[in-house]
Amino acid sequence: MAEPKTKYDRQLRIWGEQGQTALEKSSICLLNCGPTGSETLKNLVLGGVGSITVVDGSKVELGDLGNNFMVDESSVGQSKAKTVCAFLQELNDAVKAKFIEEYPEALIESNPSFFAQFTLVVATQLVEDKMMKLDKICRDANVMLIFARSYGLTGFVRISVKEHAVIESKPDHFLDDLRLNNPWPELKRFAETFDLDTADPIVHKHTPYVIILIKLAEEWARNHGGVLPSTREEKKEFKDLIKAKMIASDEENYKEAMEASFKVFAAQGISPSLQQIINDSCAEVNSLSSDFWVLVAALKEFIANEGGGEAPLEGSIPDMTSSTELYVNLQKKRSTKAEADFLVMEQRVRKILKKIGRDPDSISKATIKTFCRNARKLKVCRYSLMEDEYNSPVQLELQKYLTDEDYSTAVGFYILLRAVDRFAANYNSFPGQFDGEMDEEISRLKTTAVSLLADLGCNGSNLTEDLINEMCRYGAAELHAVAAIIGGIASQEVIKLITRQFVPMSGTFIFSGIDHKSQLLLF
Amino acid sequence: MAVSQPSRSRDLDKLLLRPGHLVGPNFEPGPELRDDIKEYVKVLVVGAGGLGCELLKDLALTGFKYLDVIDMDRIEVTNLNRQFLFRLEDVGKPKAEVAAKRVMERVNGVNITPHFCRIEDKPLDFYSDFSIIVLGLDSVEARSYINAVACGFLEYDSEDNPREETVKPMVDGGTEGFKGHARIIVPGTTPCFECTIWLFPPQVKFPLCTLAETPRTAAHCIEYAHLIKWNEVHGSRSFDPDNPEDMQWVYSEAVKRAELFGIPGVTYSFTQGVVKNIIPAIASTNAIISAACALETLKIVSGCSKTLSNYLTYNGVEGLHTKVTEFVRDKDCLVCGPGVLIELDKSVTLKKFIDQLEDHPRLLLSRVSVTHRGKNLYMQAPPVLEEMTRSNLDLPLFELMGGVAKDVIHVNGMAGKGDKKQSCLRKLRVVFRGVDGIADIDMAGGA
C-alpha cells in the first residue's frame, strides 16, 4: 500500500493535512443511490472520507444500466444499495462502506433518530414533503444536510445547516494586510530609516514598494492637512509623485509601487462583512457558545482596544522587488507584530473562556493562531429551513426573479421542480414519466404550477409554455451527465462543509442544462 | 397511459425521442436519432487523466458507442485521488489502455479504442476520422495543437463562409482546484482556442537575477537549486523531475540556500510543486466540468437542446459562481481563419518556399514539414520519412501540388523566435502567379 499522503497529494495542496483529517473523520449518509447519489459519493470516496452509508430500497433495473456507472449487467435484480456500495468500495479501500437496503422515505418516517449518527446526510431525488421532514430531523440532531436532485436537463443543490462558520475561507483575491496608510509604530520607524532620495542607485532600486508607499503616503498627508488622496485627480497626482521618484526606467520596485498605489487609498479598519460578524448577537458569548464565537468575542475586544480598529496583523507578505536583507527584515517586523497581536488575542480568549465557565485552555494555541491569521476573512453562513422557504411568503424575491431576464429560466425551473412533486402527489407519477398523452400532462402541469405560484402570491404569467413543455418532455429522467454535474457540485459543497475551509454556496442552486445559465436563488 | 418497455436507454430516450421547443435547429427526435448516434458518431477523447476518465464514463452513458482515447502518460500514485478508473495495482500502466478497458467492462456495448502515444505522433488523417473531439487536457500547448489540427480541416467557400462538411467541432474542459471551464469550439463559427489564447496567460517565471542575487521566497530558493545550482554541479546531466534522488538533491540545496538567507517555507512537497509546476486537482471539479463537456457533445451531435454559447466558467472557491460568456472570433486568426495567403511564382522550389516561411513576419516558422491534401511533401522527422521526401526539396512547389492555381497546404514547424519557440501547425493558402483561374481567389479575405 502506497503512503496515503502520496495518493492524496493533489488535494492536500488545497485543503492541507487538517482538511484531510476532517474528511477522514467524517461519516456520510447517502439517501437514494441513482446516478446523482452515486456520483456524489464517488467523488467523496476518492477524496477519502471516513465512512459512507448507502440507503436505497430499490433493485437494479435495466434502465439503471444506462445512467449509472456504479451498477453493471450482472447486478440487475439485486439490491441497488448493495451493488453501488460494492463498486464504490473498489475506489478506495481506506473508506468504510456500508449499505442499508431500505427506502429512505420509509426511514424518514419510521426511524428519524437513525440520522443522528452521521456528520452529514446527502439526500438525493427526494420529493418535497420528505425533504421537509428530513430537514427538521437533521436540524434538530445538528447533522449537516445537502439536497441534490437531477431532473431532465435541470436540477438543484441546496445546503441546509443552521450555521456554518469558516475561519479558513481562503479567497482567491484578497487585499494584502499591508497597513500602508496606517503603519504600526515599529514599521513606521523602520520606514523612517529609508531615504527615497538616496544617491546610491543599488539601494534605490532595492527599496521594497511597501516602504516607498508608506513614506509617500505620509509625505502626501503632511502636505494635505493629514488627508490621503481621494479624488481621481488626487490619486493620479499621487501616482505621478511615485513616478517622479524613479531615477531609472528599470526600477521594478517603483513600477510595483505605482501598480499597488490603490492600496494606499483603501479604507482603514475592518471590512463591513467582518463588522457584521462582530456585531452578531452570537458574539455575546455564554457557556454554550461554540469556539468560533468565543474567538469572535475576543476579536471584538481586540479591535476595540489593542487593535485600534484593526484586526490582528496577518503574518505573511507578498513577494516584492527588494534586496534579500530588506525583505527578510520587513517580514521579521511583521511576524513580530503578528506574534504580539496573537499573544494579546490568546490572553483575551483565555479570559473569556474563564468568564463563561469553561476551561481557559480548551481552545488550542494553534487554533487561535489560525484564527488570527484569517481574522479578516471570517465567514458565517446560515441556511433557512426548507419548510420556511417553501411555506412563508417570498413573493417579493420570487416576483423579482420572475421578471428578471437573466433569472427567468432558472426561477421557472425552480417553480416547476416544486410543481412536479405536487403533480406526483396528485397523479401518482411525474408529468411525462410514461409515454402517452403528452398534451394532457402539459396542461395538468401548467395548472399545478400556476396554482403553486398563486399560493406563493405570484402571477403565473411569467412561466413560459416552452419551459412547461420542456419539463414534461424530461419525464423525471435522470440523465447521467446531468447527475454527474449535480452530484459533482454536491460533493464539492460537502467537502467545503466538512473541511470547514472555503465558502459553501448560499441559497438554492438551480441548474439549467439548456444553455448553462444556471443561477443561485436567494430567498 | 402506456407503460414503457424496460430499456437501458430509459432516461436518454426522453431527451432523444420526444420533440421539444427549446432545442437545436436540426433536432429530429426519434429512435433513428438514438441509433444513428450509436452507429455513426465517433468521438475522440484527448487525455485519459482527471477529465479523460470522467469523459469516457460520461460519454459511454450518454448514448455514444464508438469512442477513442489518446494519452501518452502512465498511471501514477498521485492520480488515484481523482482518476477513478485506476487502482493502485495499475500504477505504471498506460492510462489510455486501462481507462478504455475499465469502462468497457462496466458499460455493455461500448467500444473504446485506446491510443498510447503522443498527440503529435498521429497523422492528420487520424483526427479527420472523428465527428467531434473532446479535450481533457492540462496543457496550453496540447490544446493549441489539437485546435490547429481541427481548424486545419476547415475550408471556406468563395464567399469566405465555412464549408459545413469540413467543420470539426471540439469541446474543451479544464480545471484547477475548485475552479474550471468548459467551452465549445466550432471552427469558423465560434472563436477557436487561438482566438482567445489570452485567456491562458503564460506562466510567470522568476528573473534569473532574483534567483541568483536577491532571493526572497522559498520558491526563489527552490528555483535557484533547480535552474542554476543543478547545472553548476551536474554539468550536462539534465534534471529528471520523476527521479526522487534528483528531487531530493534540489530540495536539500534549496534548504541550504533558504537557511543562508533566513527565508522560511522550503518543504519537500513545496519543492515538488514548484519544480513540476503541479496544479492541484480534485475529483468533484473534474466531474462537473467533464459532465458539462459530455452534455454539450451530445447536444452538438443531436440538437436535443440549445448549446452552450460558448464559454462556461465554474468557481466554487467562495460560494458557487457559474458564468457563461460569449466570446467572439478573431477575424484575423492564423489558425481558424481562411489561412495566410502566400503568393508564389511557379518556379519556386519547395526548399525556397520553406526558407520563405522562416522570414514571413506573421509565421516565423522554422524546421518546417509540408503536407498537401494528406500527401507528405517534406517531413523533418522521422529520419526514414525525411530521406524519402528529401528529393522533393529541389522540385517546384507548383508541380508538387499537381499544377493547380491555388490550394490549401498544411505546414508544421516551430513558431517564434529565440527561446520562445513552440511547435505549431499552420494552414496556408498558396496562390501561383500567372496561372488561369487566379481571378476567383478572394484576395480581400487574405489574412
Side-chain angles (χ1 to χ4, degrees), chain A residues 39 42 69 320 478 496 513, chain B residues 11 54 57 216 299 316:
Chain A
E39 289 297 310
K42 178 195 98 225
F69 196 75
M320 59 190 75
E478 204 177 346
K496 290 190 274 182
Chain B
D11 296 73
E54 292 281 340
K57 169 201 66 147
R216 299 175 297 269
K299 292 199 281 181

Side-chain angles (χ1 to χ4, degrees), chain A residues 374-507:
Chain A
N374 294 281
R376 298 186 310 138
K377 302 167 188 167
L378 304 177
K379 287 276 175 192
V380 175
C381 309
R382 293 186 173 115
Y383 301 89
S384 63
L385 272 170
M386 206 84 171
E387 190 177 23
D388 293 340
E389 176 184 325
Y390 279 9
N391 294 338
S392 60
V394 288
Q395 73 254 54
L396 259 177
E397 287 91 337
L398 198 57
Q399 198 66 55
K400 191 188 78 199
Y401 285 135
L402 280 165
T403 49
D404 183 335
E405 205 185 317
D406 289 341
Y407 284 86
S408 59
T409 303
V411 76
F413 274 138
Y414 174 81
I415 294 299
L416 289 169
L417 281 164
R418 291 177 59 179
V420 294
D421 286 349
R422 279 199 183 188
F423 186 109
N426 286 337
Y427 305 107
N428 288 319
S429 70
F430 290 102
Q433 189 174 4
F434 303 106
D435 291 331
E437 278 306 312
M438 202 55 121
D439 289 346
E440 195 183 322
E441 301 275 283
I442 292 168
S443 87
R444 277 175 172 174
L445 178 60
K446 186 178 180 181
T447 312
T448 311
V450 169
S451 90
L452 171 68
L453 272 170
D455 291 353
L456 297 167
C458 288
N459 187 334
S461 62
N462 295 94
L463 217 53
T464 68
E465 294 280 340
D466 285 349
L467 211 60
I468 296 168
N469 185 301
E470 188 76 356
M471 204 66 179
C472 288
R473 175 186 171 216
Y474 297 158
E478 204 177 346
L479 302 165
H480 180 78
V482 173
I485 295 173
I486 298 291
I489 294 171
S491 59
Q492 198 174 90
E493 296 304 318
V494 168
I495 285 168
K496 290 190 274 182
L497 287 169
I498 291 177
T499 59
R500 298 200 160 270
Q501 294 179 23
F502 305 94
V503 185
M505 59 177 265
S506 45

Side-chain angles (χ1 to χ4, degrees), chain B residues 232-290:
Chain B
E232 278 175 23
V233 174
H234 297 92
S236 61
R237 188 169 89 78
S238 59
F239 172 78
D240 175 9
D242 293 322
N243 181 342
E245 280 172 27
D246 286 10
M247 190 63 80
Q248 185 63 42
W249 187 89
V250 167
Y251 164 63
S252 50
E253 284 301 315
V255 168
K256 277 187 219 160
R257 189 161 175 84
E259 277 169 3
L260 183 67
F261 287 98
I263 297 167
V266 176
T267 63
Y268 186 74
S269 163
F270 187 57
T271 304
Q272 283 180 308
V274 171
V275 171
K276 296 170 102 170
N277 186 28
I278 293 174
I279 298 163
I282 53 175
S284 56
T285 317
N286 284 330
I288 296 162
I289 294 301
S290 301

Side-chain angles (χ1 to χ4, degrees), chain A residues 1-3 6-11 13-15 39 42-44 46-47 61-73 87 90-91 152-153 169-174 206 319-324 327-328 331-332 379 429 431-438 441 444 464-467 469-470 472-482 484-485 487-489 491-493 495-496 502-506 509 511 513-520, chain B residues 1-4 6-16 18-23 27 54 57-62 76-88 102-103 105-108 176-179 206 210 213-217 220 261-264 268-270 272-274 276 278-285 287-289 291-292 294-296 299 303-309 312 314-324:
Chain A
M1 174 82 204
E3 207 187 332
T6 313
K7 180 163 87 176
Y8 296 135
D9 180 85
R10 295 303 185 266
Q11 64 197 47
R13 290 172 191 277
I14 299 178
W15 51 69
E39 289 297 310
K42 178 195 98 225
N43 303 328
L44 295 172
L46 287 165
E61 294 173 19
L62 199 56
D64 299 328
L65 302 182
N67 72 2
N68 195 342
F69 196 75
M70 296 300 153
V71 298
D72 74 355
E73 211 76 12
F87 279 130
E90 279 185 9
L91 302 177
L153 290 177
S169 64
K170 300 187 170 180
D172 267 342
H173 304 284
F174 206 80
H206 286 100
D319 184 31
M320 59 190 75
T321 300
S322 159
S323 66
T324 302
Y327 184 82
V328 170
Q331 206 173 36
K332 273 190 192 138
K379 287 276 175 192
S429 70
Q433 189 174 4
F434 303 106
D435 291 331
E437 278 306 312
M438 202 55 121
E441 301 275 283
R444 277 175 172 174
T464 68
E465 294 280 340
D466 285 349
L467 211 60
N469 185 301
E470 188 76 356
C472 288
R473 175 186 171 216
Y474 297 158
E478 204 177 346
L479 302 165
H480 180 78
V482 173
I485 295 173
I489 294 171
S491 59
Q492 198 174 90
E493 296 304 318
I495 285 168
K496 290 190 274 182
F502 305 94
V503 185
M505 59 177 265
S506 45
F509 177 79
F511 173 68
I514 298 177
D515 53 10
H516 287 280
K517 289 182 180 159
S518 308
Q519 293 288 0
L520 273 175
Chain B
M1 241 189 285
V3 175
S4 308
S7 152
R8 64 183 74 220
S9 57
R10 175 189 68 197
D11 296 73
L12 208 52
D13 278 357
K14 304 242 167 48
L15 209 60
L16 296 178
R18 296 173 170 186
H21 296 175
L22 303 170
V23 296
F27 182 47
E54 292 281 340
K57 169 201 66 147
D58 294 340
L59 293 166
L61 292 174
T62 302
E76 294 178 30
V77 177
T78 55
N79 301 148
L80 301 179
N81 79 321
R82 61 197 187 283
Q83 299 176 19
F84 71 101
L85 297 171
F86 309 143
R87 310 280 171 266
L88 194 58
R102 288 277 146 73
V103 175
E105 279 167 6
R106 191 69 59 85
V107 183
N108 248 27
E176 176 177 353
F178 285 103
K179 293 179 285 188
F206 304 120
T210 298
E213 289 156 25
T214 56
R216 299 175 297 269
T217 66
H220 292 157
F261 287 98
I263 297 167
Y268 186 74
S269 163
F270 187 57
Q272 283 180 308
V274 171
K276 296 170 102 170
I278 293 174
I279 298 163
I282 53 175
S284 56
T285 317
I288 296 162
I289 294 301
L295 186 58
E296 291 311 304
K299 292 199 281 181
C304 71
S305 187
K306 296 175 179 179
T307 49
L308 169 67
S309 180
L312 168 72
Y314 184 95
N315 188 339
V317 176
E318 284 183 86
L320 172 49
H321 303 276
T322 64
K323 190 171 188 287
V324 175

Side-chain angles (χ1 to χ4, degrees), chain B residues 139-247:
Chain B
S139 100
V140 175
E141 291 76 22
R143 280 195 184 90
S144 223
Y145 183 83
I146 298 287
N147 178 69
V149 170
C151 292
F153 297 129
L154 181 68
E155 290 177 20
Y156 285 82
D157 64 19
S158 54
E159 280 158 15
D160 265 0
N161 294 313
R163 287 155 56 131
E164 205 182 317
E165 67 277 14
T166 66
V167 173
K168 182 85 55 200
M170 284 169 279
V171 182
D172 171 54
T175 72
E176 176 177 353
F178 285 103
K179 293 179 285 188
H181 80 263
R183 74 188 295 185
I184 283 180
I185 298 177
V186 182
T189 305
T190 71
C192 79
F193 183 70
E194 220 62 40
C195 293
T196 54
I197 191 78
W198 50 270
L199 287 164
F200 295 81
Q203 204 199 328
V204 186
K205 286 187 179 147
F206 304 120
L208 282 179
C209 60
T210 298
L211 302 185
E213 289 156 25
T214 56
R216 299 175 297 269
T217 66
H220 292 157
C221 299
I222 293 162
E223 283 297 64
Y224 170 81
H226 169 219
L227 299 172
I228 297 174
K229 187 84 183 185
W230 178 274
N231 292 336
E232 278 175 23
V233 174
H234 297 92
S236 61
R237 188 169 89 78
S238 59
F239 172 78
D240 175 9
D242 293 322
N243 181 342
E245 280 172 27
D246 286 10
M247 190 63 80

Side-chain angles (χ1 to χ4, degrees), chain A residues 54-241:
Chain A
V54 180
V55 182
D56 194 314
S58 64
K59 306 275 189 231
V60 177
E61 294 173 19
L62 199 56
D64 299 328
L65 302 182
N67 72 2
N68 195 342
F69 196 75
M70 296 300 153
V71 298
D72 74 355
E73 211 76 12
S74 67
S75 51
V76 173
Q78 297 193 28
S79 157
K80 201 191 284 180
K82 183 183 174 186
T83 306
V84 168
C85 184
F87 279 130
L88 287 171
Q89 179 73 78
E90 279 185 9
L91 302 177
N92 192 345
D93 54 14
V95 176
K96 284 192 211 77
K98 285 180 288 186
F99 70 93
I100 291 173
E101 201 181 338
E102 200 168 332
Y103 286 98
E105 292 81 357
L107 205 54
I108 291 167
E109 300 294 340
S110 66
N111 189 6
S113 63
F114 167 81
F115 299 98
Q117 60 184 301
F118 301 103
T119 317
L120 185 147
V121 175
V122 181
T124 70
Q125 308 300 92
L126 287 185
V127 294
E128 186 165 316
D129 66 317
K130 296 293 182 261
M131 284 196 281
M132 289 200 276
K133 279 187 181 155
L134 177 66
D135 195 22
K136 273 191 171 161
I137 294 168
C138 289
R139 192 62 68 101
D140 289 344
N142 207 13
V143 171
M144 296 190 275
L145 175 62
I146 184 160
F147 296 106
R149 187 155 184 199
S150 310
Y151 197 105
L153 290 177
T154 184
F156 75 89
V157 180
R158 186 194 191 279
I159 293 171
S160 185
V161 177
K162 188 173 176 220
E163 179 185 288
H164 179 75
V166 187
I167 296 172
E168 295 176 85
S169 64
K170 300 187 170 180
D172 267 342
H173 304 284
F174 206 80
L175 218 49
D176 295 307
D177 193 10
L178 296 176
R179 309 278 169 97
L180 298 175
N181 54 21
N182 190 16
W184 64 96
E186 292 79 6
L187 181 61
K188 207 173 158 175
R189 274 200 294 280
F190 185 57
E192 278 161 12
T193 63
F194 289 83
D195 175 10
L196 296 188
D197 301 317
T198 174
D200 184 341
I202 302 293
V203 173
H204 198 268
K205 73 184 286 190
H206 286 100
T207 304
Y209 83 76
V210 171
I211 300 294
I212 298 173
L213 289 177
I214 288 173
K215 290 190 78 87
L216 291 180
E218 207 181 59
E219 183 182 321
W220 176 283
R222 224 176 18 244
N223 297 331
H224 293 81
V227 189
L228 286 171
S230 61
T231 65
R232 188 201 288 240
E233 290 77 37
E234 285 173 337
K235 287 176 181 176
K236 194 182 167 294
E237 216 179 303
F238 184 75
K239 261 190 163 173
D240 292 339
L241 183 68

